[in-house]
Amino acid sequence: MSRAGVARGGGFFLLLLALPFFGLAHWVVNLLVFVLMFAIMASAWNLVGGFAGYPSLGHAAFFGIGAYSMALMFHGAALSSGYEPFVALPLIGLVGAVIGWPIAIISMRTRADVFAIVTITFLFMIQTLAFNVRSLTGGSQGLSLPVAPFPAASYERPFYLVLVAMLAVAMLLTFGAMRSKIGLSLVAVRADEDKARGIGVRVSGVKVLAFSVSVGLTAMVGGVWAYYETFIYPQFAVDPLITIAVVLMTFLGGRATLWGPVLGAVILEAGQQTLAYRLGGSQFYLIAYALVFLVIMLLLPRGILPTLEERIRLRRRARVANAPDTPGAARTADAGRVALAPGGRS
Amino acid sequence: MHALVQGVILGVLTGGVYALMASGQTLIFGIMKVVNLAQGAMVIMGAYLAYQLFVSFGLDPFLAIPITTVVMFGLGVAVQLLFLRPLRRDDKSELSLLVTFAVALLLEGIMSVTWSTTYRSINTSYANSSWTVLGYQITAVRVWAFALSLLALGLLFLLLNRTRFGRAVRATVQNPESARLLGIESDRVAALGFGLGAATAAAAGSVYGLLYPFYSGSHYDLISRLLSIVVLGGLGSVGGAVVAGVIVATSSAVVAATVSPAWSEMTFFAVLILVLLVRPQGLFGTVGRGAI
């Protein structure tokens, strides 16, 4: 990692850790909790949808699986310190990953379009199950969790800090993937899967691995969410809008980038809460959301960060090209040298 | 045994309607390689239009179909021109999925605002009449719905196989590049094809509104069923969608009649998984082109 990158990451997380101690209002911390949840899920989705180019529309199912696992584990239990559910989180991540494993093996036999179809159908199936397997999920009446015995003044803080830690894990995983052979393999899958397989990339392995890790993280967020809400209903725990929000955030910030999903989550979740607040529970909210969605897809299909990066690169190149006083011949000679550069720049 | 046969009868009759919805879906995929996640929302939109015509003017939903199909055809063309055509070509298939999802949300929002989110149903005079044949109950509406779906599918078949436009569509489905080389204007075919898909959704919507109560969120129930049907039939194959529609609806109705209605939803997913394991290209799909 470059020194600037370390500084950026360290600074970002120090700021995140310090934020709740500034005495922010409850609604601000509450908003931050949701921003973090979506930032983690978007980063997780990015592993599959961004790097490997497999647009999963079923991640909300794993969010729901995590939420229900947490609810089933602690339904009716008495908490002493209130940190027990957080300790159980890795287990919930494992549950998500284990359920995701066969789904990935079956659905990743297909390419982007059909993969999206399979995952979205899986989402609706889990939703149906959540409604219908009453003995386990309580059906449409939902399930309750014990209320955390945290002091009211700083009730959100433990959730917030746990989520910050999870975001760090998600971003480190992303960073690790970007720097390792796994990340390269995923990008190769995205670019041309058949060629990648042809030259010996272990295509199936990395795809399934990325999917399992991704849905495991998503399930963990679902677990935290369930504990935070203390009451879960099937229509909110398994909600197609969660999938869509996560996908949209990743697209807005920039797919296959480290910071893109986080940036997208900050912008969209804040915007979404404002929209929901302004337009209330009315259905105009859905229209506004869909329009924002369409505008982003049409105007910024590559996302903010890649677009900005290209702008900066183009400007830099223009500056370099304009710097020498002698235009014309000199510049074309330069261009020739640049084109040869990979062979023998030194 | 009685429940089983009753389930099969119900399933086949319902299957006709699903076949109609899915034929539009698969047509759109065949022409543009776009999985239209808004197909369910367009069906519900068609149902609402039929409902409104019935409530305001007393127009029978079957007779409303010529009107609703024209309106929805226009809407489909508009969606294609406004939202799908501008997409860049290199990551079109991913983006188009999301764009059609956004269109579904947009339609859902518009329907919620216009008709609120309470369930509506179209109560015609013949809504509750039924015949009893050999001890099996057959509701009149379902028979009419089945007949109408067959008629609409027949018209679609004629359009695709007997007209110039249909030939252009089939050529585009088979090989978009060669079709373009032969002078077929792929942009126009795409726009009209999307309109045609929306029109079949409108026709199916009228029928759906007669058969089931619906609200703006009903499209979520429809979309996973439609997608399973299209994958089973083979993406892009209209004939496959028809056969698969009947198969899937029948198996789901049989499960509902013999096991429990709650589990009938699961049959769709089970069918999908089976198809992917055994024959990923679907019943009538071809390998090597398009999605798989």
Side-chain angles (χ1 to χ4, degrees), chain B residues 53-72:
Chain B
L53 287 172
F54 178 72
V55 171
S56 307
F57 307 105
L59 190 63
D60 188 276
F62 284 120
L63 300 177
I65 287 178
I67 303 174
T68 57
T69 45
V70 170
V71 173
M72 291 298 289

Side-chain angles (χ1 to χ4, degrees), chain B residues 159-173 179 184:
Chain B
L159 182 68
L160 289 178
N161 287 290
R162 293 280 182 274
T163 64
R164 239 182 115 73
F165 168 68
R167 210 181 303 152
V169 167
R170 282 183 296 133
T172 313
V173 172
I184 291 168

Side-chain angles (χ1 to χ4, degrees), chain B residues 10 30 60 62 73 114 133 164 192 214 251 279:
Chain B
L10 190 68
D60 188 276
F62 284 120
F73 179 84
T114 320
V133 180
R164 239 182 115 73
L192 294 178
F214 56 92
S251 45
R279 197 178 152 81

Side-chain angles (χ1 to χ4, degrees), chain B residues 78-273:
Chain B
V79 166
Q80 207 280 337
L81 290 181
L82 283 177
F83 302 131
L84 289 170
R85 186 168 295 180
L87 295 181
R88 290 170 347 127
R89 276 190 77 186
D90 48 344
D91 44 13
K92 200 168 180 173
S93 84
E94 258 179 300
L95 285 178
S96 63
L97 265 169
L98 302 169
V99 165
T100 55
F101 204 137
V103 169
L105 291 181
L106 186 62
L107 287 178
E108 187 191 338
I110 291 172
M111 291 188 288
S112 310
V113 168
T114 320
W115 288 285
S116 87
T117 50
T118 48
Y119 272 95
R120 304 291 167 106
S121 50
I122 306 175
N123 294 310
T124 51
S125 54
Y126 49 86
N128 293 318
S129 58
S130 64
W131 304 296
T132 309
V133 180
L134 299 172
Y136 298 110
Q137 217 185 16
I138 299 170
T139 41
V141 180
R142 283 186 192 272
V143 174
W144 288 122
F146 184 69
L148 181 108
S149 302
L150 285 190
L151 179 71
L153 284 170
L155 285 177
L156 185 65
F157 180 81
L158 286 181
L159 182 68
L160 289 178
N161 287 290
R162 293 280 182 274
T163 64
R164 239 182 115 73
F165 168 68
R167 210 181 303 152
V169 167
R170 282 183 296 133
T172 313
V173 172
Q174 275 178 13
N175 193 331
E177 262 113 64
S178 310
R180 240 195 317 275
L181 279 176
L182 291 171
I184 291 168
E185 289 194 48
S186 57
D187 272 353
R188 192 187 296 167
V189 169
L192 294 178
F194 207 95
L196 199 58
T200 62
S206 268
V207 181
Y208 187 84
L210 274 171
L211 294 181
Y212 307 101
F214 56 92
Y215 80 110
S216 50
S218 300
H219 73 99
Y220 288 123
D221 304 338
L222 279 177
I223 196 67
S224 58
R225 295 178 203 176
L226 288 183
L227 292 175
S228 327
I229 291 171
V230 191
V231 172
L232 173 61
L235 274 165
S237 157
V238 175
V242 173
V243 176
V246 175
I247 292 177
V248 170
T250 308
S251 45
S252 146
V254 166
V255 171
T258 53
V259 186
S260 121
W263 290 101
S264 73
E265 285 291 323
M266 294 285 289
T267 33
F268 292 101
F269 192 71
V271 164
L272 186 63
I273 293 295

Side-chain angles (χ1 to χ4, degrees), chain A residues 109 111 118 125 251 255 283, chain B residues 91 95 112 266 269 276 291:
Chain A
R109 290 159 61 102
R111 295 291 154 81
V118 178
M125 187 196 67
F251 268 78
R255 276 170 294 167
Q283 299 298 327
Chain B
D91 44 13
L95 285 178
S112 310
M266 294 285 289
F269 192 71
L276 289 177

